Amino acid sequence: MGKSMKSEVEQPLLAAAHGGSSELEEVLSDSQLPYFRRLRYASWIEFQLLYRLAAPSVAVYMINNAMSMSTRIFSGQLGNLQLAAASLGNQGIQLFAYGLMLGMGSAVETLCGQAYGAHRYEMLGVYLQRATVVLSLTGIPLAVVYLFSKNILLALGESKLVASAAAVFVYGLIPQIFAYAVNFPIQKFLQSQSIVAPSAFISLGTLFVHILLSWVVVYKIGLGLLGASLVLSFSWWIIVVAQFIYILKSERCKATWAGFRWEAFSGLWQFVKLSAGSAVMLCLETWYFQILVLLSGLLKNPEIALASISVCLAVNGLMFMVAVGFNAAASVRVSNELGAAHPKSAAFSVFMVTFISFLIAVVEAIIVLSLRNVISYAFTEGEVVAKEVSSLCPYLAVTLILNGIQPVLSGVAVGCGWQAFVAYVNVGCYYGVGIPLGCLLGFKFDFGAKGIWTGMIGGTVMQTIILLWVTFSTDWNKEVESARKRLDKWENLKGPLNKE
């Protein structure tokens, strides 16, 4: 590997991209080894590579989601109305901003990965700053949407009582929009260098602060829904500031962060266009179950429907963070192997990360089904909601299993640059099949929340089958060639983004 020839600053960067990958390709290409021994060796090498990437990523996403879920728990203890309002505000409005910001921020993952692969380390900091500028500007119209959330929810047919309470909750989330605008570029900047553990420790420490502040503000000071959402916004800003301080102080970021640069304000429109594919792909996925919440608010007895759906989706959201962690690992592993011209390793990595994520999802589903009668009591004391949640848990279990596969395949798509294709698949499967089928079953055939959820599961199944077929029928030698051409292009361009 020639690590002794690298500088101390470059060693951590290069280790993430090349550690173990050459060995994996050699093992997979060694026809002298018996097939099952080759498979065993390769599995162990890949497992270690995935563990170093996926474990900290899963921790980060789960802890961040736990902050949001704890806010809903604090709100739910105030009553069913407050739980429904927090759920509608969080799933119905806040996820709109989350999906858009995360999608646009994911363009940084592609850019930083390409710059890293071409050894243009100084460009990572420029891309980070450019993305922050664009996302912050995007946050302004999103803040206006938040301000008019009550009118929007009423226009969508939500009850006046729930919409009014949800709007109060959403007002406190306005500062969170701009925390997203900084956090997601920072997150991708660090992730592209396989620096994930510091973010996990920062998030864990913030979670304890968040829970303590939520208890004080909601119960002791008595600020209710508004206080709960304001604390959530404040906690996200703690994460942002702490991560940025790490970038400034860490030796591991010295090669990639060279201070604030004026180049960050150039090529902004090109960055917007570049991020469109990633934004559309991730937004369509993030907003899909947001629509489930909005549709549930149109059912008979919307307070119970929203409360029960919110409990299930809160559990799903927490478990989904495991899949998102594997999504990040899949993206890094596939892009690293393609950049290193290791087609067999790329294909094997796809198989391993999908298989491991699927097994974990099956275990999650079994746990949920075994606890179906008591899950809701973590959120609210209502027995009516508990019974409804219990009846929805089989649908939740199926969704969890699908989530063990679909997000990983999306991570593979990011690593290969298939975002635009996946966006088209999402439109057809989610919005052409899943939502119309859910509305038909939920309203026309009067199956309620179960019918809506069944239809949306159908859309996810169709999307997953298509992505599985495309992924496992891919010619990885051609993908290696595409990656090589992309790297040559970036190496030969003085200002890659401005030439797009």
Side-chain angles (χ1 to χ4, degrees), residues 428-446:
C429 296
Y430 288 167
Y431 299 88
V433 176
I435 292 175
L437 180 60
C439 290
L440 184 66
L441 295 174
F443 296 101
K444 178 67 175 179
F445 292 96
D446 202 27

Side-chain angles (χ1 to χ4, degrees), residues 444-486:
K444 178 67 175 179
F445 292 96
D446 202 27
F447 289 139
K450 297 181 183 67
I452 297 173
W453 204 335
T454 298
M456 299 182 79
I457 285 175
T460 305
V461 169
M462 179 178 294
Q463 186 246 25
T464 303
I465 291 173
I466 293 174
L467 291 186
L468 278 171
W469 179 79
V470 170
T471 301
F472 287 98
S473 63
T474 294
D475 185 336
W476 293 101
N477 288 302
K478 289 184 178 179
E479 292 299 325
V480 165
E481 185 61 28
S482 297
R484 182 181 292 112
K485 290 178 180 179
R486 189 177 300 116

Side-chain angles (χ1 to χ4, degrees), residues 138-192:
T138 305
I140 296 174
L142 288 176
V144 174
V145 172
Y146 276 40
L147 289 173
F148 288 95
S149 58
K150 179 179 179 180
N151 295 332
I152 293 172
L153 292 172
L154 289 174
L156 291 173
E158 306 296 339
S159 70
K160 186 175 182 179
L161 185 63
V162 175
S164 298
V168 172
F169 182 82
V170 168
Y171 295 154
L173 295 179
I174 291 177
Q176 186 187 48
I177 298 174
F178 299 97
Y180 285 162
V182 186
N183 178 75
F184 291 135
I186 287 178
Q187 191 179 70
K188 300 303 180 182
F189 169 85
L190 293 172
Q191 181 182 300
S192 68

Side-chain angles (χ1 to χ4, degrees), residues 108-249:
V108 182
E109 186 173 0
T110 303
L111 290 170
C112 286
Q114 290 174 337
Y116 170 76
H119 304 291
R120 293 178 59 91
Y121 301 130
E122 75 283 354
M123 289 305 297
L124 272 72
V126 175
Y127 294 143
L128 165 60
Q129 295 169 60
R130 187 173 286 150
T132 301
V133 171
V134 171
L135 266 65
S136 296
L137 293 174
T138 305
I140 296 174
L142 288 176
V144 174
V145 172
Y146 276 40
L147 289 173
F148 288 95
S149 58
K150 179 179 179 180
N151 295 332
I152 293 172
L153 292 172
L154 289 174
L156 291 173
E158 306 296 339
S159 70
K160 186 175 182 179
L161 185 63
V162 175
S164 298
V168 172
F169 182 82
V170 168
Y171 295 154
L173 295 179
I174 291 177
Q176 186 187 48
I177 298 174
F178 299 97
Y180 285 162
V182 186
N183 178 75
F184 291 135
I186 287 178
Q187 191 179 70
K188 300 303 180 182
F189 169 85
L190 293 172
Q191 181 182 300
S192 68
Q193 304 170 68
S194 294
I195 302 175
V196 189
S199 295
F201 289 120
I202 290 170
S203 296
L204 181 60
T206 304
L207 176 61
F208 290 117
V209 174
H210 172 76
I211 292 174
L212 178 60
L213 286 178
S214 295
W215 177 74
V216 172
V217 171
V218 175
Y219 298 140
K220 296 302 179 180
I221 300 179
L223 292 183
L225 282 174
L226 180 61
S229 57
L230 282 172
V231 170
L232 183 59
S233 294
F234 179 73
S235 297
W236 271 91
W237 273 108
I238 293 177
I239 292 174
V240 168
V241 172
Q243 288 184 130
F244 186 63
I245 291 174
Y246 175 84
I247 291 174
L248 294 178
K249 300 296 184 181

Side-chain angles (χ1 to χ4, degrees), residues 31-153:
S31 58
Q32 300 301 316
L33 279 175
Y35 176 77
F36 287 106
R37 183 179 296 178
R38 192 190 325 163
L39 181 63
R40 187 171 71 252
Y41 289 165
S43 298
W44 175 242
I45 294 170
E46 180 63 28
F47 177 79
Q48 293 179 83
L49 292 169
L50 283 174
Y51 177 79
R52 287 199 294 266
L53 286 168
S57 296
V58 169
V60 169
Y61 288 113
M62 287 196 73
I63 293 168
N64 290 346
N65 183 264
M67 286 200 309
S68 179
M69 187 170 68
S70 67
T71 296
R72 274 173 279 169
I73 291 175
F74 277 110
S75 301
Q77 297 302 320
L78 297 173
N80 285 342
L81 173 62
Q82 287 81 358
L83 176 60
S87 172
L88 187 59
N90 185 271
Q91 302 287 336
I93 299 294
Q94 181 261 349
L95 271 185
F96 173 79
Y98 182 89
L100 183 61
M101 290 292 194
L102 179 60
M104 295 185 70
S106 293
V108 182
E109 186 173 0
T110 303
L111 290 170
C112 286
Q114 290 174 337
Y116 170 76
H119 304 291
R120 293 178 59 91
Y121 301 130
E122 75 283 354
M123 289 305 297
L124 272 72
V126 175
Y127 294 143
L128 165 60
Q129 295 169 60
R130 187 173 286 150
T132 301
V133 171
V134 171
L135 266 65
S136 296
L137 293 174
T138 305
I140 296 174
L142 288 176
V144 174
V145 172
Y146 276 40
L147 289 173
F148 288 95
S149 58
K150 179 179 179 180
N151 295 332
I152 293 172
L153 292 172

